[in-house]
Amino acid sequence: MSNQTEITTHANKSVAEQIESNDRFTGLGVNMVVIVLSIVALMPLLLSSRFWDLPGWHIGVVLLLWTIYVVNGTAGMMLHERYIERWYVLYLYFGVQLIVTAGLLFLTRDLGGAIWVMILPVAAQSLAYSWAFTAVISLILLGLIWLAYLGGQSFQDTILDLLSIGASMLFTLIFTSIAVRESAARSQVQRLAIDLRQANHRLAEYAAQAEELATMRERNRVAREIHDNLGHYLTVVNVQIEAAKTIMRTQPEKAQDALDKAQNLTQEGLAAVRHSVSALRESPLANQTLAEALGQLAKEARESGLVTELLITGEAAERDPKVELTLYRAVQEGLTNVRKHARASRVDITLSYGPQETVLTLQDNGLGADLAHKSSSSFGLVGIEERVNLLNGRMQITTAPHQGFQFTITLPS
């Protein structure tokens, strides 16, 4: 159990680390795109003599804005994602990027080059929000392009240039959207894998608990089986031996008679042990119906001198082995108690099958018992009641001193 838990925990950690690695890869990929496109945009300026002929402050401002763009687009974007729930961080980040991009476009509009490429990462990063927000950012960027580069052109040339740049921006947005969705889907699949492993781990724990519970129930069943077929014999044997010890010197003949009875009961007990072992291996109802098995118990009771009447009404809709075995054991235990303790001359057994429930009643005309005293409760009856409770049934006992004993068991059909 502990090894399985350790393996599952290690697997969950591995998947979690993989998800974190994917997230880091996604962040690193965005940063690399920003840096690469920024270098691509700046490189033509650095190779142009016209750029280096500009005043020093002009060159310095362009390089400074370019640096701010790169730092904010990488480290600033990561910081922005950490505090994404704060609205002012959103506007601060994109506000800085738009202002810096506008400055670079206007400061380099007479130099040509590819500075306009720097609008693409800004548009792509806006996909972290709604399409409406992306559309607003994209229109602002296209407006900056128009103001910086296309203001002096004819209407037709302006439209063609804007369409060309817009197509590049649209391609970037589509490609970025696909990449982001693929990354999100991969992370979701890995998170689902963690959930599945955790669910399997919980199922394994539940299975172990169910196995432990089944073992406990089986132990209780074995205890009931041993008592039902052996317990009363050992009790009576002990009583006979104690009686023999008490009168051994004064009444040796009665003492010998008590020992003979104890010996006979011991033999019966050995037979009961064999019967218990057989019952544990195979149900007594395996090769016969419940009515036949109860008829056999009633016949054995009659042969012992006890008037026994068995009445069965209705028919069982379906044969439930657990219900039938519980009813059989209840009758078996009841007849044993009647023969050993009740001093009764008659016992009536009634089994009624109904559409909703099955009712078993066993009643004798013996000495009865006082339910106010715990000692009057039979362990065998307690075992029968446990069986009944496991089947969501109920057991009711009606008795009083010198008024006979009756128990009624009701089980759902």
Side-chain angles (χ1 to χ4, degrees), residues 186-332:
R186 184 170 59 250
S187 298
Q188 180 65 17
V189 168
Q190 291 166 346
R191 289 187 179 92
L192 290 175
I194 288 182
D195 293 341
L196 181 59
R197 285 190 176 93
Q198 291 174 344
N200 288 336
H201 176 57
R202 287 193 294 269
L203 285 176
E205 290 180 340
Y206 295 153
Q209 293 173 3
E211 182 179 358
E212 183 178 354
L213 180 59
T215 301
M216 185 181 302
R217 288 181 175 177
E218 181 63 15
R219 289 174 180 172
N220 291 336
R221 188 183 75 85
V222 171
R224 290 192 296 266
E225 292 289 345
I226 292 175
H227 174 272
D228 290 344
N229 291 292
L230 181 62
H232 66 275
Y233 286 106
L234 296 179
T235 300
V236 178
V237 167
N238 183 66
V239 171
Q240 294 293 337
I241 293 176
E242 288 291 338
K245 289 170 62 178
T246 302
I247 62 175
M248 179 68 72
R249 295 182 180 180
T250 59
Q251 298 177 330
E253 293 181 359
K254 290 186 177 181
Q256 183 62 42
D257 183 61
L259 290 175
D260 291 340
K261 290 181 179 179
Q263 184 177 17
N264 292 334
L265 289 170
T266 301
Q267 293 174 352
E268 293 181 12
L270 290 174
V273 169
R274 297 188 186 97
H275 184 271
S276 295
V277 173
S278 176
L280 290 175
R281 292 179 177 176
E282 182 179 6
S283 171
L285 304 176
N287 299 316
Q288 59 183 341
T289 65
L290 177 61
E292 294 172 342
L294 295 183
Q296 182 65 30
L297 290 177
K299 178 181 178 182
E300 293 173 359
R302 294 190 196 100
E303 291 175 351
S304 67
L306 179 65
V307 177
T308 306
E309 294 294 334
L310 173 63
L311 175 64
I312 301 177
T313 60
E315 294 183 0
E318 294 182 1
R319 183 177 180 181
D320 188 334
K322 294 181 180 179
V323 170
E324 292 193 340
L325 182 60
T326 297
L327 295 173
Y328 175 84
R329 291 303 185 197
V331 173
Q332 183 185 49

Side-chain angles (χ1 to χ4, degrees), residues 76-369:
M77 184 63 183
M78 302 299 288
L79 184 65
H80 156 250
E81 289 180 348
R82 179 176 299 180
Y83 300 100
I84 193 171
E85 70 280 357
R86 302 179 184 179
W87 61 269
Y88 59 86
V89 177
L90 165 68
Y91 294 115
L92 178 61
Y93 172 78
F94 281 98
V96 170
Q97 287 300 84
L98 289 174
I99 292 173
V100 170
T101 303
L104 288 171
L105 292 174
F106 282 98
L107 288 173
T108 61
R109 60 181 175 179
D110 296 329
L111 302 176
I115 285 294
W116 68 270
V117 172
M118 299 179 72
I119 69 173
L120 300 179
V122 180
Q125 289 172 346
S126 68
L127 285 171
Y129 303 93
S130 65
W131 279 102
F133 183 78
T134 301
V136 171
I137 295 296
S138 300
L139 289 175
I140 292 175
L141 292 170
L142 289 176
L144 293 176
I145 292 291
W146 175 66
L147 291 175
Y149 294 145
L150 310 177
Q153 296 184 164
S154 65
F155 177 78
Q156 183 177 1
D157 291 339
T158 300
I159 294 298
L160 291 176
D161 289 339
L162 286 177
L163 287 176
S164 176
I165 296 174
S168 300
M169 184 180 294
L170 181 62
F171 173 79
T172 302
L173 292 175
I174 293 175
F175 178 81
T176 304
S177 177
I178 293 174
V180 168
R181 289 184 180 181
E182 189 276 336
S183 177
R186 184 170 59 250
S187 298
Q188 180 65 17
V189 168
Q190 291 166 346
R191 289 187 179 92
L192 290 175
I194 288 182
D195 293 341
L196 181 59
R197 285 190 176 93
Q198 291 174 344
N200 288 336
H201 176 57
R202 287 193 294 269
L203 285 176
E205 290 180 340
Y206 295 153
Q209 293 173 3
E211 182 179 358
E212 183 178 354
L213 180 59
T215 301
M216 185 181 302
R217 288 181 175 177
E218 181 63 15
R219 289 174 180 172
N220 291 336
R221 188 183 75 85
V222 171
R224 290 192 296 266
E225 292 289 345
I226 292 175
H227 174 272
D228 290 344
N229 291 292
L230 181 62
H232 66 275
Y233 286 106
L234 296 179
T235 300
V236 178
V237 167
N238 183 66
V239 171
Q240 294 293 337
I241 293 176
E242 288 291 338
K245 289 170 62 178
T246 302
I247 62 175
M248 179 68 72
R249 295 182 180 180
T250 59
Q251 298 177 330
E253 293 181 359
K254 290 186 177 181
Q256 183 62 42
D257 183 61
L259 290 175
D260 291 340
K261 290 181 179 179
Q263 184 177 17
N264 292 334
L265 289 170
T266 301
Q267 293 174 352
E268 293 181 12
L270 290 174
V273 169
R274 297 188 186 97
H275 184 271
S276 295
V277 173
S278 176
L280 290 175
R281 292 179 177 176
E282 182 179 6
S283 171
L285 304 176
N287 299 316
Q288 59 183 341
T289 65
L290 177 61
E292 294 172 342
L294 295 183
Q296 182 65 30
L297 290 177
K299 178 181 178 182
E300 293 173 359
R302 294 190 196 100
E303 291 175 351
S304 67
L306 179 65
V307 177
T308 306
E309 294 294 334
L310 173 63
L311 175 64
I312 301 177
T313 60
E315 294 183 0
E318 294 182 1
R319 183 177 180 181
D320 188 334
K322 294 181 180 179
V323 170
E324 292 193 340
L325 182 60
T326 297
L327 295 173
Y328 175 84
R329 291 303 185 197
V331 173
Q332 183 185 49
E333 175 63 22
L335 291 176
T336 298
N337 288 340
V338 170
R339 288 196 297 266
K340 297 299 181 182
H341 309 300
R343 298 182 185 177
S345 61
R346 179 185 177 90
V347 60
D348 292 276
I349 305 168
T350 303
L351 178 62
S352 300
Y353 289 106
Q356 301 295 330
E357 56 188 19
T358 302
V359 181
L360 169 69
T361 301
L362 188 146
Q363 181 178 9
D364 65 57
N365 63 350
L367 297 176

Side-chain angles (χ1 to χ4, degrees), residues 14-40:
S14 299
V15 177
E17 290 173 356
Q18 189 173 357
I19 292 176
E20 184 180 356
S21 175
N22 287 338
D23 293 339
R24 287 198 304 267
F25 176 78
T26 302
L28 179 62
V30 172
N31 290 345
M32 289 300 297
V33 169
V34 172
I35 294 173
V36 169
L37 289 180
S38 298
I39 294 175
V40 169

